[in-house]
Amino acid sequence: MGLDTVELVVEIEKTFDISIANDIAAKVTTVADFYNVVEKYVEEGNNYTREEIVRAVNSIVANFTRLPLDEITPGKRICEDLGLD
């Protein structure tokens, strides 16, 4: 996991007030993986819907990659397709 990806993980952690274990973060390869990890780590009391998680993660990824939001899709690979290291 390169610096870009680490910074992306940190931003997602801040947004959702979670802490993703390093071994779990290292296994994230697609945007959908981020959705699933966030959904797993978000505390029940926060009441984020899947749709809210998807929108927020997509927005964060779009900001990091400087790609249009409509190009951020679940199957996009973080390194290969989005150009993060």
Side-chain angles (χ1 to χ4, degrees):
M1 185 166 33
L3 183 57
D4 291 338
T5 306
V6 169
E7 289 175 347
L8 180 59
V9 169
V10 168
E11 188 61 30
I12 288 172
E13 288 176 327
K14 283 187 210 175
T15 299
F16 291 99
D17 194 27
I18 59 175
S19 181
I20 301 170
N22 290 340
D23 61 324
I24 299 296
K27 294 177 184 173
V28 171
T29 59
T30 66
V31 174
D33 290 342
F34 270 124
Y35 305 156
N36 296 332
V37 167
V38 169
E39 203 167 43
K40 176 184 172 189
Y41 276 83
V42 166
E43 294 180 20
E44 288 182 23
N46 287 336
N47 295 324
Y48 288 106
T49 65
R50 174 75 174 193
E51 184 178 314
E52 291 169 327
I53 291 169
V54 167
R55 275 187 303 202
V57 168
N58 286 354
S59 178
I60 293 166
V61 172
N63 286 336
F64 264 79
T65 60
R66 295 190 173 111
L67 291 172
L69 194 55
D70 64 347
E71 289 187 28
I72 309 303
T73 59
K76 292 284 185 173
R77 296 170 296 175
I78 302 300
C79 297
E80 295 87 346
D81 298 329
L82 301 177
L84 298 179
D85 62 7

